[in-house]
Amino acid sequence: MPEIKICGLSTPDTLDAALAAGADWVGFVRFPRSPRHVALDTARSLSHRAKGRAGRVVLLVDPDDDALAAAVAAIGPDLIQLHGRESAARVAAIRAATGLPVMKALGIATRADLARVADFAAVADRLLLDAKPPPGAALPGGNGVRFDWDLLAGADLPAGTMLSGGLCADTVAEALRRTGLTALDVSSGVESAPGIKDPARIAAFVAAARG
């Protein structure tokens, strides 16, 4: 059964919808330019609501030490997701400083982009493969675009590698089949508008992924 993360949750109702659908992970975005950004107080409340019901993830983009510490203190995450241009050394430093597992997102557009997998697999607890943002995009992820999944054919990927980018209820079965991955991260694909999660789409996504 695929492992599912619903990212960019920002309200109690949509968090409850993700939990009711059976999400394994729920993600809270701390990146002001994102329509899914949540204030620390909101993230704290949502994280407390999800505690013991799903793994809690805080998504950070090139955080400095102060931003990292504030997010960890408020949210108490089970996993830190790094979605910026963090180096392997920075990933290792964040993991050491917080004592928490770290998932590093890597943007994929060509087969050559997979060359970085080994470096980050050595320091991160797991990897997330997302489509590289389109030219001029304001966000490093959550853009609703996907990369060519056939690029992963024969690739040596660590266990637990997550797939993101362009996933929705209509594409998830194909994604699982073509990539062979068993962990999925969805955000824009379960929204009715940028940053607005749709409980019905969340339920449909999980059902399609596990059907």
Side-chain angles (χ1 to χ4, degrees):
M1 184 179 295
E3 191 181 1
I4 295 173
K5 173 174 169 274
I6 309 291
C7 196
L9 293 160
S10 59
T11 67
D13 288 351
T14 54
L15 172 65
D16 288 349
L19 296 169
D24 300 288
W25 298 92
V26 291
F28 311 115
V29 173
R30 290 285 302 158
F31 183 54
R33 295 212 306 263
S34 171
R36 303 166 189 97
H37 173 74
V38 287
L40 282 178
D41 284 349
T42 300
R44 179 187 290 111
S45 174
L46 293 172
S47 179
H48 181 74
R49 192 179 186 95
K51 187 174 184 179
R53 302 167 71 190
R56 299 159 301 161
V57 182
V58 59
L59 185 156
L60 301 169
V61 179
D62 300 306
D64 61 24
D65 290 348
D66 289 343
L68 175 68
V72 169
I75 298 167
D78 300 297
L79 179 70
I80 296 170
Q81 178 176 334
L82 298 174
H83 218 106
R85 297 184 178 182
E86 300 88 2
S87 66
R90 179 61 175 158
V91 171
I94 286 173
R95 191 172 181 269
T98 61
L100 291 168
V102 172
M103 177 165 69
K104 176 67 179 105
L106 301 178
I108 306 297
T110 69
R111 181 85 181 182
D113 292 320
L114 294 172
R116 298 185 300 152
V117 164
D119 289 343
F120 284 98
V123 293
D125 295 272
R126 64 193 304 174
L127 300 180
L128 181 147
L129 304 183
D130 194 6
K132 274 191 174 175
L139 305 177
N143 293 296
V145 296
R146 76 188 202 188
F147 62 90
D148 178 2
W149 294 326
D150 291 336
L151 293 173
L152 302 185
D156 183 16
L157 300 173
T161 296
M162 274 196 168
L163 179 69
S164 189
L167 297 174
C168 64
D170 292 336
T171 63
V172 65
E174 179 192 359
L176 290 166
R177 185 176 68 250
R178 284 175 58 188
T179 66
L181 297 178
T182 57
L184 304 162
D185 182 1
V186 66
S187 185
S188 60
V190 291
E191 292 179 344
S192 56
I196 308 299
K197 292 290 184 285
D198 183 323
R201 294 186 194 200
I202 291 172
F205 180 86
V206 176
R210 294 185 171 154

